[in-house]
Amino acid sequence: MNHLLSNPAFKMACDQFDAVANFLNIPEALRERTKQPKRMVTVSLPIRLDSGEVKVFAGHRVQHHLTLGPTKGGLRYHPAVELGEVAALAMWMSWKCALADLPYGGAKGGVAIDPKQHSQAELERLTRRYTSEMIPFIGPQTDVMAPDMGTNEQTMAWMMDTYSYQIGHAVPSIVTGKPVSIGGSLGRKEATGRGVAFLADRAIDLLKLPDDSRVIVQGFGNVGSYAALGLAKYGARVCGISDVGGGVYNPKGLDLHALQAHVERTGGVSGFDGGDRISNEEMLVQPCEVLIPAAMDQVITARNAGKIQCRILAEAANGPTTVEADAILRQRPEIFVIPDILCNSGGVIVSYFEWVQDLQSFFWAETEIFDKLYRILDRTMDTVLKESRKHNIDHRTAALSLGIQKVVNGKAIRGLFP
Ligand code: GLU
């Protein structure tokens, strides 16, 4: 897999793994086996555009390990998607699922496309073609997809329909994050963002910060918006929000409902008149109690890690903090990091609930879903904090080592075939 190392995200995921493998003293015979992705599939997707022209897109799916159950993870539509990045995201899904004790390995899919430049009809043809190319590799007991950046409930509905059409009957458990009307779970759409808000609020209490703590969120998609709304409900003051087009900042707090209406009208945060215009880069270094990167990976870097002014860094995105930035954050113990594989795990936890409900054709009430979700998040955060105290290690190393150790144990006890 060395050819993937030219991708910075994959290199970052491997560096994180190597450091934790040294810390855990994982035997050589198990290291590479645990680190390398099990299966990587790349397909070319010829799609007829509305103009009649045919364009070919590259689609990937990486299944990191199949030791503990089917693989699980989102499907991303973004112009910068490449195999190495997808492989990194699949690895992070593995540690995330293991940390939350879900019976899954990690996976991730991606198509290099900018969904904003395409009609719904084109995206439907792309999704159906991608699903049909992936049929030999996916299944409710093999690999279960979900939404990620650039995909949503509608994408999952098309995937489920395409798969079910092949099988001959409805198979809702083939994807999670689909509409409730076809077997989706109540609460799945909000789960990642509400989970982030729940954990950030717990950290606010732990650090005895004021109830109306200032919050800054980078990204106002599904995750960022529900995280901001959730924290506002807990009493926090959301002062800054940005997206790809720039941000808006108001130290007195933003009117989130007015901002949401603006985003629906104009497609972005930029131009909202409830605060000052501010760039993405500046937003990250404004003073606040809670900073939530909820967009791309690798945004907290060696350049800005020394300058961020938060008390809590709640990583809603996958891989937002580079290895170099992490080294700087370790010298800043005043910053309480909620690492990504814990912070954003609410999404995949409720995906697991959705899969279980689909397999049993027995559906739960929303209160039951959030009760169960918050209990798992609470317990997992406690475990990470305890591990961190016990070994005097940072929260990320603690979370990664708990996840990685679980996968290593599974591989060791199952043995090596043949
Ligand atoms: N794409 C989400 C993530 O990165 C959710 C994955 C899932 O629900 O399977 O965690």
Side-chain angles (χ1 to χ4, degrees), residues 24-44:
L24 290 173
N25 247 323
I26 297 176
E28 262 330 301
L30 277 160
R31 276 194 197 206
E32 282 305 292
R33 242 179 105 191
T34 309
K35 177 161 109 178
Q36 304 292 357
K38 172 67 158 186
R39 205 179 269 161
M40 303 198 282
V41 185
T42 295
V43 289
S44 76

Side-chain angles (χ1 to χ4, degrees), residues 43-274:
V43 289
S44 76
L45 305 165
I47 304 303
R48 198 177 305 283
L49 303 181
D50 297 341
S51 63
E53 183 197 344
V54 174
K55 218 171 154 187
V56 180
F57 297 92
H60 311 282
R61 184 73 179 167
V62 176
Q63 299 169 351
H64 179 246
H65 79 87
L66 296 142
T67 307
L68 303 172
T71 48
K72 186 83 195 77
L75 168 65
R76 172 173 292 203
Y77 290 172
H78 189 275
V81 159
E82 54 179 46
L83 184 60
E85 186 200 36
V86 178
L89 290 160
M91 253 167 111
W92 289 325
M93 281 307 301
S94 285
W95 320 140
K96 190 190 303 186
C97 291
L99 176 65
D101 263 333
L102 308 181
Y104 291 141
K108 197 69 123 199
V111 179
I113 187 173
D114 182 356
K116 289 203 190 87
Q117 304 298 322
H118 293 271
S119 68
Q120 283 297 101
E122 289 173 348
L123 292 175
E124 176 171 358
R125 288 195 286 275
L126 176 88
T127 303
R128 289 188 183 279
R129 185 64 191 249
Y130 175 85
T131 310
S132 114
E133 299 286 352
M134 288 296 163
I135 280 179
F137 310 103
I138 60 175
Q141 298 299 341
T142 320
D143 184 13
V144 181
M145 301 212 201
D148 197 86
M149 203 181 282
T151 56
N152 54 30
E153 291 191 331
Q154 179 61 72
T155 322
M156 295 304 113
W158 291 326
M159 293 195 89
M160 181 245 179
D161 184 69
T162 307
Y163 185 82
S164 300
Y165 183 82
Q166 285 288 325
I167 301 294
H169 57 83
V171 188
S173 53
I174 184 61
V175 288
T176 60
K178 57 195 167 293
V180 172
S181 57
I182 53 170
S185 177
L186 294 169
R188 172 61 187 87
K189 196 166 157 206
E190 305 89 330
T192 315
R194 281 180 63 174
V196 171
F198 174 84
L199 292 171
D201 185 60
R202 260 208 68 187
I204 288 174
D205 286 349
L206 274 173
L207 300 184
K208 302 197 168 52
L209 296 173
D211 284 341
D212 69 340
S213 282
R214 294 162 301 171
V215 176
I216 288 178
V217 187
Q218 183 192 48
F220 204 56
N222 182 51
V223 179
S225 60
Y226 282 114
L229 286 167
L231 273 160
K233 245 193 194 147
Y234 289 123
R237 189 160 27 114
V238 181
C239 298
I241 301 225
S242 65
D243 64 14
V244 272
V248 45
Y249 181 78
N250 183 343
K252 294 203 191 88
L254 295 165
D255 177 343
L256 292 180
H257 292 286
L259 177 60
Q260 257 187 331
H262 173 84
V263 170
E264 265 162 42
R265 229 181 15 254
T266 64
V269 167
S270 164
F272 179 63
D273 61 9

